[in-house]
């Protein structure tokens, strides 16, 4: 029988005694155990808070049912709620669970999109929860019912809008084909649209929705549109943009991203916002039979595809296949970096490679990209990527030498030229060779990456582990004001330094260096790429510069500040707390 969720008052009481003995380990052979109950802890989701901490959620079947659990950590990696987490949704699940989603809103509350079978009849309905930092259940102990029908509704997703509202998106498998539903609620749980739910459909069904926020409290949704009634038939990628009142802004039926076909079940495309009201779509497909290649497409704010029809192929190496891309974008430049698995026609050895795509859709790292891990027995997989300044931190699992099941976790940082930055790259994140699965992660405003995964090193059913990775490649606690990049720069270098203090309330200092007099732009963006402040826009003299940024009129959260000249571009993140 499923474990019952605690009511909000009981959860609050349990949260008053947080664990104090755990913190971010600096040893890759240790890592941080978040839950080691009996049974499986799987499918972790993670989102960072404005203070540098995070919420981590997972499915837990210690009770015999797959319950949804949640834990909050502070910036030092110390759990703030009861040991092994708090049950959010203990309602009945089906034998096979589906994917789910988790995000942090502008008030540092955790918002969750899940499904369960509490309605009976063997069907899944969608529910939303909003959990406060003190473990309050803002939308009630049972959450908000997003749907109530007799259909299966897998893989719900959500996006927090610029206005602090939440849009839930999910697929509904009806008797006449799948449709996609959208519903928008405010932080109090009130409905923002009437009718409450917007439904998208097509002749043969649409599926696999993804959603990101865009300007003016709107969202952009990506989905797959079936081309026939055959369940194994071709599916094409489409996108649609909606304003704050659920009015579609792009052509009726959506904008075609890729009509080349070859998108198999389980290989659903993903999207990220471009910071200018558009999106980047990325995926792999087998449009060439038995030959997987990875692609990316840029759709601008008007719904116009900017790059090669059906996407830019990331690598043109004919003897190599590319799969499962991870993408990072850089607000204001139009550039993206992609990292992907490589393999041969037999799918036996695997490697890891990357590509930079310019604003024009070119390949600055060459037609074949850059190889970071050659194809071989290590077989990298489960690639995650996070933007840092004008480069990226990449995290992945790889098989331990001689093992067919045991994996370790590694990471590296690359600059804009595709060169690894850290000494001894790739560096160890988890050095324990054990069976692992379901790695996910997020980056906070300090430039730290936090990753979570299921690990069988102790319990064969799988426990939940976390680890942070600092911008300099180390593990453990990190003090940004002590970082090397706050030291004086050489007079012949461009440099953008870490702001101080960070986090800040409500004023911080931003320093940069110019080797010569040049026109300069220094702009602050929110996380969906909207410009919130323009600090410099004009010529500046050579030398060291420092100025104040006052965020008193902005909401708490993570912001990006970007320095641009004719010859240099760099960006960093900062956290505003109030």
């Amino acid at each position: 029988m499923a474990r019952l969720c605690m009511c909000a008052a009981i959860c609050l009481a349990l949260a008053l005694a947080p664990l104090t003995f755990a913190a971010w380990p600096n040893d890759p052979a240790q890592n941080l155990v978040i839950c080691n109950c009996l049974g499986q802890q799987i499918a972790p989701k993670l989102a960072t808070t404005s203070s540098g901490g995070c919420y981590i959620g997972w499915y837990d079947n210690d009770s015999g049912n797959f319950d949804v659990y949640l834990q909050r950590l502070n910036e030092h990696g110390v759990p703030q709620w009861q040991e092994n987490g708090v049950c959010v949704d203990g309602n009945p699940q089906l034998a096979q669970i589906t994917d789910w989603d988790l995000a942090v809103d502008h008030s540092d509350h955790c918002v969750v999109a899940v499904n369960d079978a509490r309605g009976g009849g063997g069907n899944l309905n969608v529910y939303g929860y909003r959990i406060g930092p003190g473990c309050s259940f803002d939308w009630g102990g049972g959450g908000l019912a997003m749907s109530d029908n007799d259909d299966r509704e897998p893989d719900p997703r959500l996006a927090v809008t610029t206005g602090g509202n939440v849009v839930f998106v999910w697929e509904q498998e009806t008797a006449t084909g799948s449709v996609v539903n959208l519903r928008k609620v405010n932080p109090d749980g009130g409905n923002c649209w009437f009718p409450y739910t917007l439904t998208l459909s097509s002749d043969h069904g649409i599926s696999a929705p993804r959603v990101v926020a865009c300007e003016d409290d709107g969202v952009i949704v990506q989905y797959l549109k079936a081309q026939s009634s055959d369940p194994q038939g071709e599916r094409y990628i489409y996108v649609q943009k909606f304003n704050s009142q659920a009015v579609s802004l792009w052509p009726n039926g959506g904008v075609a991203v890729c009509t080349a076909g070859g998108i198999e079940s389980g290989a659903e495309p993903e999207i990220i916002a471009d910071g200018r009201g558009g999106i980047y779509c990325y995926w792999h497909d087998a449009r060439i039979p038995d030959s997987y290649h990875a692609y990316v497409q840029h759709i601008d704010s008007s719904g116009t595809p900017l790059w090669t029809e059906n996407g830019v192929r990331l690598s043109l190496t004919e003897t190599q296949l590319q799969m499962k891309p991870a993408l990072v974008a850089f607000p204001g430049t139009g550039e993206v970096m992609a990292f992907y698995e490589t393999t041969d026609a037999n799918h036996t050895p695997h490697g890891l490679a990357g590509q930079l795509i310019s604003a024009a859709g070119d390949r600055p790292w060459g037609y074949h990209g850059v190889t970071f891990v050659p194809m071989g027995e290590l077989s990298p997989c489960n690639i995650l990527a996070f933007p840092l300044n004008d480069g990226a931190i990449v995290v992945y699992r790889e098989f331990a030498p001689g093992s067919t099941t045991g994996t370790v976790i590694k990471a590296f940082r690359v600059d804009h030229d595709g060169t690894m930055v850290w000494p001894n790259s790739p560096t160890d994140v988890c050095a324990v060779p054990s069976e692992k699965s379901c790695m996910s992660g997020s980056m906070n405003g300090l430039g730290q990456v936090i990753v979570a995964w299921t690990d069988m090193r102790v319990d064969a059913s799988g426990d939940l582990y976390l680890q942070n990775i600092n911008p300099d490649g180390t593990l453990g606690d990190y003090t940004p004001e002590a970082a090397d990049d706050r030291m004086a720069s050489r007079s012949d270098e461009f440099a953008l330094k870490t702001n101080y203090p960070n986090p800040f309330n409500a004023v911080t200092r931003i320093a940069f260096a110019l080797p010569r007099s040049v026109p300069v732009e220094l702009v602050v963006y929110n996380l969906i790429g909207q410009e919130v402040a323009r600090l410099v826009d004009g010529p500046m003299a050579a030398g060291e510069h420092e100025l104040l940024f006052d965020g008193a009129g902005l909401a708490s959260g993570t912001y990006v500040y970007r320095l641009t000249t004719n010859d240099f571009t760099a960006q960093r993140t900062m956290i505003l707390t109030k």
Side-chain angles (χ1 to χ4, degrees):
M1 180 178 178
R3 182 185 317 173
L4 295 178
C5 286
M6 303 292 184
C7 69
I10 296 176
C11 285
L12 177 59
L14 290 171
L16 295 179
L19 301 179
T20 58
F21 56 84
W24 292 127
N26 57 16
D27 181 357
Q30 182 180 356
N31 308 124
L32 181 61
V33 183
I34 292 301
C35 183
N36 58 0
C37 291
L38 297 176
Q40 294 176 294
Q41 289 85 51
I42 58 175
K45 302 289 182 180
L46 191 149
T48 52
T49 63
S50 66
S51 65
C54 68
Y55 290 94
I56 170 72
W58 65 96
Y59 277 114
D60 192 312
N61 80 333
D62 182 34
S63 70
N65 181 68
F66 279 105
D67 305 324
V68 177
Y69 267 71
L70 192 66
Q71 179 64 273
R72 184 172 74 87
L73 281 72
N74 69 11
E75 65 272 25
H76 303 294
V78 178
Q80 300 299 289
W81 297 344
Q82 70 178 52
E83 185 177 3
N84 291 322
V86 170
C87 179
V88 172
D89 186 341
N91 292 288
Q93 279 286 353
L94 302 184
Q96 183 178 11
I97 60 174
T98 76
D99 205 355
W100 64 296
D101 207 2
L102 175 153
V104 172
D105 69 14
H106 300 341
S107 301
D108 270 342
H109 291 230
C110 183
V111 187
V112 175
V114 297
N115 56 22
D116 63 44
R118 72 181 71 173
N123 64 297
L124 292 170
N125 287 318
V126 177
Y127 300 87
Y129 292 84
R130 184 174 187 256
I131 314 296
C135 200
S136 60
F137 278 54
D138 300 341
W139 294 344
L144 287 179
M146 295 291 143
S147 64
D148 183 10
N149 55 61
D150 295 329
D151 298 322
R152 182 174 181 268
E153 295 174 297
D155 304 347
R157 304 289 169 139
L158 64 86
V160 178
T161 68
T162 58
N165 301 304
V166 184
V167 174
F168 292 83
V169 180
W170 67 95
E171 178 183 346
Q172 178 183 352
E173 298 176 354
T174 74
T176 57
S178 292
V179 300
V180 166
N181 297 309
L182 291 80
R183 184 166 172 179
K184 183 178 183 180
V185 299
N186 63 32
D188 295 327
N191 290 290
C192 297
W193 296 338
F194 186 82
Y196 300 155
T197 302
L198 172 67
T199 299
L200 311 180
S201 62
S202 70
D203 291 341
H204 302 292
I206 59 177
S207 60
R210 300 293 187 266
V211 59
V212 295
C214 62
E215 75 279 12
D216 301 327
D217 210 42
V219 293
I220 301 174
V221 179
Q222 175 185 271
Y223 46 88
L224 292 175
K225 185 181 294 188
Q227 300 304 298
S228 72
S229 58
D230 179 2
Q232 305 302 317
E234 293 287 11
R235 301 181 299 168
Y236 295 165
I237 306 173
Y238 280 78
V239 289
Q240 182 57 272
K241 185 175 185 178
F242 299 93
N243 69 10
S244 61
Q245 299 303 312
V247 176
S248 58
L249 301 178
W250 291 346
N252 188 33
V255 172
V257 174
C258 178
T259 58
I263 299 173
E264 298 180 343
S265 177
E268 280 77 10
E270 301 290 342
I271 57 174
I272 56 177
D274 72 353
R276 296 180 173 180
I279 55 169
Y280 298 102
C281 309
Y282 56 104
W283 70 96
H284 76 261
D285 64 45
R287 65 184 70 174
I288 303 171
D290 301 319
S291 184
Y292 294 103
H293 296 289
Y295 299 84
V296 62
Q297 180 62 278
H298 188 188
I299 310 296
D300 70 11
S301 61
S302 68
T304 302
L306 297 182
W307 294 342
T308 304
E309 184 179 4
N310 293 323
V312 174
R313 184 167 145 184
L314 296 177
S315 170
L316 299 183
T317 305
E318 294 299 336
T319 58
Q320 180 192 93
L321 309 181
Q322 307 89 37
M323 300 182 296
K324 303 177 183 177
L327 200 75
V328 297
F330 305 100
T333 70
E335 293 181 327
V336 294
M337 278 185 190
F339 302 89
Y340 44 88
E341 293 181 31
T342 59
T343 188
D344 63 10
N346 296 318
H347 294 249
T348 306
H350 284 249
L352 192 161
Q355 180 65 270
L356 177 70
I357 303 295
S358 72
D362 299 322
R363 305 177 185 87
W365 290 356
Y367 288 164
H368 309 299
V370 174
T371 297
F372 297 107
V373 181
M375 288 192 295
E377 66 169 336
L378 298 181
S379 292
C381 60
N382 205 168
I383 300 168
L384 308 175
F386 309 89
L388 184 62
N389 301 336
D390 60 350
I393 293 178
V394 180
V395 189
Y396 61 97
R397 293 190 292 121
E398 72 176 21
F399 283 89
S403 176
T404 58
T405 58
T407 61
V408 296
I409 300 175
K410 296 199 171 185
F412 59 87
R413 178 177 171 182
V414 297
D415 62 18
H416 191 261
D417 297 324
T419 302
M420 290 187 179
V421 174
W422 297 332
N424 304 316
S425 291
T427 189
D428 289 332
V429 176
C430 173
V432 180
S434 58
E435 189 173 349
K436 300 178 177 67
S437 64
C438 305
M439 186 172 69
S440 63
S442 183
M443 173 176 274
N444 65 22
L446 306 177
Q448 294 174 304
V449 171
I450 304 173
V451 292
W453 67 94
T454 299
D455 197 311
M456 290 74 164
R457 70 177 74 174
V458 175
D459 183 349
S461 61
D463 296 325
L464 191 65
Y465 283 75
L466 262 73
Q467 183 62 61
N468 75 323
I469 309 160
N470 297 319
D472 58 3
T474 61
L475 310 179
D477 250 355
Y478 176 68
T479 306
E481 58 266 30
D484 290 342
D485 61 8
R486 289 242 12 123
M487 299 171 64
S489 301
R490 290 166 35 192
S491 60
D492 61 345
E493 289 182 331
F494 287 101
L496 178 63
K497 303 177 184 180
T498 302
N499 64 296
Y500 180 79
N502 190 29
F504 66 98
N505 180 19
V507 177
T508 188
R509 288 179 167 84
I510 298 176
F512 57 95
L514 305 173
R516 58 185 179 276
S517 178
V518 289
V520 172
E521 287 187 354
L522 181 59
V523 182
V524 180
Y525 301 91
N526 60 24
L527 280 186
I528 69 163
Q530 289 180 310
E531 181 178 320
V532 299
R534 183 167 288 262
L535 306 181
V536 179
D537 190 357
M540 295 195 71
E544 299 273 345
H545 300 272
E546 184 174 276
L547 48 82
L548 295 178
F549 170 62
D550 187 346
L554 300 174
S556 296
T558 302
Y559 293 86
V560 176
Y561 58 102
R562 184 174 195 86
L563 179 72
T564 305
T565 74
N566 292 335
D567 307 306
F568 176 79
T569 299
Q571 69 181 35
R572 295 187 180 275
T573 54
M574 56 185 173
I575 299 175
L576 171 62
T577 60
K578 293 184 176 180

